[in-house]
Amino acid sequence: MQKQIFAVGNAHLDPVWLWPWGEGLQAARATFRSALDRIAEHDEFVFTCAGAGIYQWIEKTDPQLFRDIQTAVAEERWYLIGGWWLQPDCNIPGGEGFVRHSLYGQRYLLEKFGRIATIGYNVDSFGHAWTLPQILVKSGMDSYVFMRPGPHENPEIPGRLFTWQGPDGSAVTAFQIPYQYNLEGEILHQRFTEIAEECTETQPMMLFYGVGNHGGGPTKASISFLDEKRGEEEPAVHFATPRQYFDAVRDMEITPSVYKNELQHHASGCYAAHSKIKRDNRKAETALESAEKWATIAAHTAGTAYPGAEIAKGWQAVLFNHFHDILAGTSIASAYAQAANLHGYALQIADEVGEFSRQAIASQVDTTGQDGVPLIVWNPTAWPRRELVHTELQWKGDAPEIIDSTGQLVLSQSMPPEAAVKPGGRVGVTFTADVPALGYRVYWAVRPKQESPAPAALPQLRVWETGMENEFLKVEFDARSGALISLFDKSSGRELLSAPAAALVIRDDSDTWSHGVFSFRDEVGSFDQAEFRIMESGPVRARLRVTTRYQQSSLRQDFILGAGQRYLDCRAVIDWHGKHQLVKLSWPVDVANPEATYEIPYGHIQRPCDGEEEPAQRWVDVTGVHPSDGQTCGLTVANDCKYSFDIKDSEIRMTVLRSPGYAHHVPRELAPDDPVEFIDQGEQEFAYRLAGHSGGWQSEEFSAPACAADLNSGLKVREDYRHSGSLPVQSSFASVSDPRIHLTVLKQAEEGRGLVVRAWETSGQDLTEPVAISAMGRKFTAKFTGHTVKTFLVTESSIAETDLLERVQD
């Protein structure tokens, strides 16, 4: 047995980074033509490249080049790898976002080239969520190639070659690229020697060569150099594909060490850089998931055509913006105008599909059950919800009252409309709605009667200049600083905060990526000089505006407490003008022995409470023992568009923004006249929810995943008119018997026959009993183990589990 090096000729293509996407397209065309020329010149050379979206570019712009690539793939001289639309950031996209990379990427490769990729490939992404192995395996991939983090950033990774096992037990054989993916010229010569020294008889190595980032691919000189090395006795050098490498590892019966954790950390600052791209990503992902649910329901109830092609285009726009240098906030400023266009396109598709579909369903609903103006409340989540909703009506005269289908008065609160240009004619109304799982319920706005029966019990909801309370929570703020100083749970008698929850300003002299920086703790100030204003005070909702300042920047937080709510909502606007700083909101939780849990794509992970900056999705949680009674309790912080957090001891900190220069790779002192644009200048909006809980973050009484999903997927209200119809005044179209299982996808199958239902286990627990799932009148059961994502194809004659590509499993 001898040492072996598998030389992989490749071109890493950044469609956007220090250039706009049009330049990235030109670079891809040139690179692919060069690769075909190298194939023609050298009988053994083989080329490897990832990114279904880039191949689609070529198909659209150069049909002959695309046909030449198809021929090279068929002759096994061009290797398809990755299987995803592009190489995304591998922490920020939502779980369903990663699934769509596989769904659209692999199906495109299969359609155009007759094969799918069997190896995942994200060589330039800055970290990798622990849940990716399951998504890879269920998308037809058994191996994974990555580069970051390197050994100096995560020494726990057991070598270049290892088995990466996800929390559900799914595993792929992983290879960490040594040094870099674009070796060329003198650096290729140097790295070849180092890789040869690292190689052993029982661990072959891969060497990736070819000009990358802006494209280029392998050069004649690099191929000639490797030809020379092939003539030497050892190590044995092969022109090869990653598939040949992993097959050789299998044939050699090598048993790699198993690694059961996420692949972090590199470029920790990326999870907060450029707030708009991250906000638009969350909004677009959420809107598309919701829109295709309503489109599916409309097709089955109202006979409308399912807009599958439109939805796919919307998702593909989002997937393009998942690209690691876009979503991470590390591209040039002008690239984000183009990214905003793509997100706007996706959001418009989702808005149109959702609105058309809901109104098509509404046309089938019998709204004649009561007098007045029908109001249909829509719930996009597959569990029942009782929440406050707000809408505006065309209305003259006294403010309306709200009744349900039995004529019972529903507690409501009127307020001025959004626009006050023309007095009269419109009115705002807020009321409490009970809506079934993934469905709707009709209420009616009626003219008030002199002797209307009051709701059974008026809640104790009040607001004053520096605080607010309802029957479950009492909230107080510091009159000078505006910090939240008390979040008191009246049900348990526990104070949830151990110290004021403040808005902190942190020094950040790092570059755009924050290379080599793993925590941000150097506080240089905080927002204070508080001004208070009561915005709403009524029987249904209280809203208190707290405005604070730091130097030239301001933070306006509207704290909202509703009747019957056990959580505190905040809708915030920050107007930021700082540079080389970041802003964090902090919540010191009053517990001992804290455990920190973060949501990750289609899963969660526990991490040390050590203050390191960590990526997360819609929620984070600290749970521990309360000092007052020794009972387990905690605080969940949910958000609608943030992805960067740290937890030290029992203090949760959410990073609101960072303000480095755009695409600055190396930090440096900037002269006043340097033409540098800084990130996150000006206004941005975000929302968060503070939810205390007894026991853990997932129990019969409370669910952090559901709490966060509710915040991100709000109930919608739409006025209708009185008409007859075949649908009742309330209906549910899909539900799940166990609250730990979240049904996130209801769509038409890509093949056009049947429905696709996707659900995932949110608690990490193996469920002992089968879970009953109902979708569009079909009912079935399924067994779930902890952390699993399951997909089902539901037809008129059968129900079968599929992989993520919608292929039925044996």
Side-chain angles (χ1 to χ4, degrees):
M1 188 178 294
Q2 65 178 153
K3 297 180 179 181
Q4 298 184 77
I5 292 179
F6 291 74
V8 178
N10 80 110
H12 172 67
L13 291 164
D14 287 332
V16 174
W17 180 28
L18 307 179
W19 45 83
W21 74 265
E23 187 173 333
L25 165 57
Q26 184 279 325
R29 290 173 47 239
T31 298
F32 285 178
R33 175 50 63 191
S34 174
L36 289 168
D37 290 344
R38 302 294 81 77
I39 288 172
E41 294 164 357
H42 195 289
D43 290 341
E44 295 184 55
F45 170 76
V46 62
F47 181 67
T48 295
C49 194
I54 294 177
Y55 289 113
Q56 187 189 65
W57 271 359
I58 304 302
E59 182 187 15
K60 289 181 176 180
T61 58
D62 195 333
Q64 183 57 55
L65 177 58
F66 188 73
R67 287 191 291 271
D68 292 344
I69 294 171
Q70 288 176 311
T71 298
V73 170
E75 294 173 350
E76 299 188 348
R77 302 295 306 282
W78 187 299
Y79 185 68
L80 301 173
I81 197 169
W84 286 1
W85 200 247
L86 290 174
Q87 295 183 50
D89 180 278
C90 288
N91 282 301
I92 300 175
E96 190 57 28
F98 282 113
V99 170
R100 298 309 167 107
H101 274 283
S102 290
L103 179 67
Y104 297 122
Q106 292 281 52
R107 291 182 69 89
Y108 179 84
L109 296 182
L110 186 62
E111 177 188 351
K112 303 300 180 179
F113 299 99
R115 64 193 69 188
I116 65 170
T118 60
I119 299 172
Y121 187 82
N122 291 301
V123 300
D124 201 22
S125 301
F126 308 139
H128 309 260
W130 192 19
T131 43
L132 292 188
Q134 179 176 195
I135 294 172
L136 291 165
V137 169
K138 291 183 176 179
S139 303
M141 292 179 266
D142 59 17
S143 309
Y144 193 59
V145 179
F146 74 104
M147 189 173 72
R148 300 186 175 97
H152 62 294
E153 294 166 317
N154 189 338
E156 300 298 320
I157 297 174
R160 301 290 186 190
L161 179 70
F162 60 95
T163 297
W164 187 25
Q165 183 173 316
D168 71 307
S170 298
V172 292
T173 304
F175 182 82
Q176 181 188 63
I177 294 177
Y179 308 114
Q180 60 197 77
Y181 49 73
N182 54 352
L183 298 174
E184 276 297 331
E186 290 299 319
I187 194 69
L188 170 61
H189 301 177
Q190 174 188 338
R191 295 305 191 193
F192 180 92
T193 300
E194 294 168 346
I195 290 170
E197 291 175 354
E198 192 174 341
C199 182
T200 68
E201 288 82 356
T202 57
Q203 181 169 299
M205 296 286 285
M206 276 194 282
L207 177 152
F208 284 74
Y209 68 100
V211 180
N213 294 334
H214 200 267
T219 63
K220 293 179 180 180
S222 63
I223 295 172
S224 178
F225 169 77
L226 292 169
D227 262 333
E228 292 176 8
K229 291 299 179 182
R230 293 173 69 212
E232 298 179 2
E233 184 174 342
E234 195 176 63
V237 178
H238 313 282
F239 288 110
T241 68
R243 180 74 274 160
Q244 290 170 312
Y245 171 80
F246 286 114
D247 287 348
V249 167
R250 181 199 60 209
D251 293 343
M252 294 169 68
E253 298 184 348
I254 296 172
T255 305
S257 299
V258 178
Y259 182 71
K260 301 179 181 180
N261 208 336
E262 58 187 343
L263 298 174
Q264 313 289 5
H265 295 93
H266 177 88
S268 297
C270 289
Y271 306 116
H274 207 288
S275 295
K276 178 173 171 52
I277 194 70
K278 293 171 171 62
R279 175 182 172 84
D280 288 351
N281 175 70
R282 179 79 61 81
K283 300 303 181 187
E285 287 181 336
T286 304
L288 285 166
E289 287 182 37
S290 175
E292 66 185 6
K293 291 175 185 174
W294 296 124
T296 302
I297 295 166
H300 282 254
T301 59
T304 57
Y306 183 77
E310 291 178 67
I311 292 170
K313 288 180 179 178
W315 270 112
Q316 287 166 15
V318 172
L319 301 182
F320 187 90
N321 278 349
H322 280 170
F323 183 71
H324 53 272
D325 280 316
I326 300 175
L327 194 53
T330 55
S331 290
I332 55 175
S334 59
Y336 287 100
Q338 297 175 329
N341 290 340
L342 271 182
H343 273 145
Y345 174 71
L347 286 164
Q348 181 62 23
I349 287 175
D351 190 35
E352 288 186 0
V353 169
E355 192 65 56
F356 290 157
S357 299
R358 287 188 297 272
Q359 294 213 26
I361 300 165
S363 72
Q364 306 301 305
V365 176
D366 187 341
T367 59
T368 62
Q370 297 291 336
D371 292 331
V373 177
L375 302 175
I376 306 181
V377 186
W378 304 89
N379 173 14
T381 58
W383 52 87
R385 289 164 67 173
R386 176 182 172 83
E387 291 179 19
L388 296 181
V389 296
H390 177 79
T391 191
E392 287 191 6
L393 305 173
Q394 287 293 106
W395 195 268
K396 292 184 179 180
D398 294 338
E401 293 179 336
I402 306 298
I403 60 173
D404 63 18
S405 59
T406 68
Q408 178 69 39
L409 196 64
V410 176
L411 193 65
S412 64
Q413 176 177 323
S414 62
M415 57 196 67
E418 182 178 356
V421 176
K422 181 180 179 181
R426 286 185 72 80
V427 64
V429 61
T430 299
F431 62 96
T432 301
D434 284 286
V435 192
L438 189 50
Y440 66 85
R441 185 177 182 185
V442 184
Y443 292 85
W444 284 264
V446 298
R447 304 213 173 267
K449 299 177 181 178
Q450 290 185 346
E451 297 183 1
S452 295
L458 290 174
Q460 299 174 348
L461 178 64
R462 67 188 187 100
V463 58
W464 59 98
E465 185 178 0
T466 59
M468 55 211 311
E469 74 173 315
N470 66 5
E471 61 268 50
F472 298 116
L473 288 176
K474 185 175 182 181
V475 180
E476 296 182 89
F477 300 89
D478 182 82
R480 185 193 65 81
S481 68
L484 177 63
I485 57 176
S486 178
L487 185 62
F488 186 75
D489 185 339
K490 296 165 70 172
S491 298
S492 65
R494 301 188 191 107
E495 173 59 54
L496 299 177
L497 300 177
S498 61
L504 307 173
V505 181
I506 313 292
R507 186 188 311 279
D508 176 18
D509 293 326
S510 62
D511 60 25
T512 313
W513 292 256
S514 298
H515 285 106
V517 178
F518 301 105
S519 64
F520 302 93
R521 310 286 307 177
D522 185 9
E523 297 177 25
V524 296
S526 62
F527 284 76
D528 55 15
Q529 307 171 48
E531 297 176 5
F532 295 84
R533 181 182 177 186
I534 297 172
M535 304 298 294
E536 295 176 26
S537 177
V540 173
R541 188 167 74 176
R543 181 161 64 107
L544 179 63
R545 175 167 294 176
V546 183
T547 303
T548 54
R549 290 174 173 79
Y550 172 77
Q551 295 180 352
Q552 303 303 311
S553 302
S554 64
L555 172 63
R556 188 183 78 210
Q557 299 187 84
D558 281 11
F559 291 94
I560 301 167
L561 188 62
Q565 287 184 177
R566 296 179 179 269
Y567 51 80
L568 177 67
D569 273 345
C570 180
R571 302 199 174 274
V573 177
I574 187 168
D575 184 13
W576 178 249
H577 300 280
K579 300 171 183 177
H580 291 304
Q581 294 173 324
L582 58 81
V583 175
K584 284 182 174 284
L585 295 179
S586 81
W587 298 277
V589 186
D590 194 12
V591 294
N593 305 321
E595 290 185 350
T597 308
Y598 301 72
E599 186 183 43
I600 58 177
Y602 271 152
H604 66 271
I605 190 171
Q606 285 192 349
R607 296 177 174 133
C609 301
D610 58 6
E612 285 202 355
E613 198 76 4
E614 303 282 5
Q617 297 272 312
R618 298 170 298 179
W619 62 271
V620 297
D621 179 86
V622 163
T623 293
V625 176
H626 200 274
S628 69
D629 56 15
Q631 298 298 306
T632 298
C633 64
L635 179 69
T636 291
V637 178
N639 73 89
D640 76 334
C641 61
K642 298 303 175 185
Y643 293 92
S644 197
F645 303 81
D646 81 84
I647 297 175
K648 185 172 177 61
D649 300 326
S650 62
E651 181 185 31
I652 300 172
R653 291 187 177 188
M654 179 174 76
T655 305
V656 172
L657 56 81
R658 285 185 65 232
S659 52
Y662 276 94
H664 275 217
H665 201 283
V666 179
R668 61 185 177 88
E669 292 296 326
L670 297 174
D673 58 348
D674 277 347
V676 174
E677 291 188 64
F678 287 85
I679 297 175
D680 276 356
Q681 302 297 293
E683 284 195 358
Q684 60 160 289
E685 300 179 5
F686 61 97
Y688 62 88
R689 175 171 291 176
L690 306 179
H693 54 84
S694 296
W697 54 264
Q698 180 84 290
S699 66
E700 292 184 3
E701 291 76 28
F702 178 76
S703 167
C707 173
D710 290 349
L711 176 65
N712 282 267
S713 299
L715 303 181
K716 291 184 179 292
V717 189
R718 181 66 67 210
E719 176 183 340
D720 207 63
Y721 66 97
R722 288 170 50 81
H723 55 77
S724 60
S726 59
L727 293 177
V729 294
Q730 64 177 13
S731 188
S732 170
F733 298 102
S735 62
V736 180
S737 63
D738 193 310
R740 291 168 292 184
I741 304 300
H742 282 195
L743 190 157
T744 54
V745 172
L746 178 66
K747 63 184 286 289
Q748 189 179 88
E750 294 298 307
E751 298 294 343
R753 290 185 59 255
L755 304 177
V756 168
V757 175
R758 187 153 30 254
W760 64 293
E761 198 289 313
T762 63
S763 72
Q765 305 170 24
D766 292 345
L767 306 189
T768 57
E769 298 295 329
V771 175
I773 299 174
S774 173
M776 302 305 300
R778 299 296 304 279
K779 297 182 180 180
F780 58 98
T781 61
K783 292 184 178 180
F784 283 82
T785 54
H787 304 279
T788 54
V789 180
K790 286 181 174 284
T791 307
F792 305 93
L793 177 62
V794 181
T795 68
E796 291 183 359
S797 59
S798 66
I799 297 172
E801 187 170 350
T802 76
D803 65 7
L804 296 177
L805 309 186
E806 302 181 9
R807 302 179 300 183
V808 175
Q809 302 297 282
D810 295 331

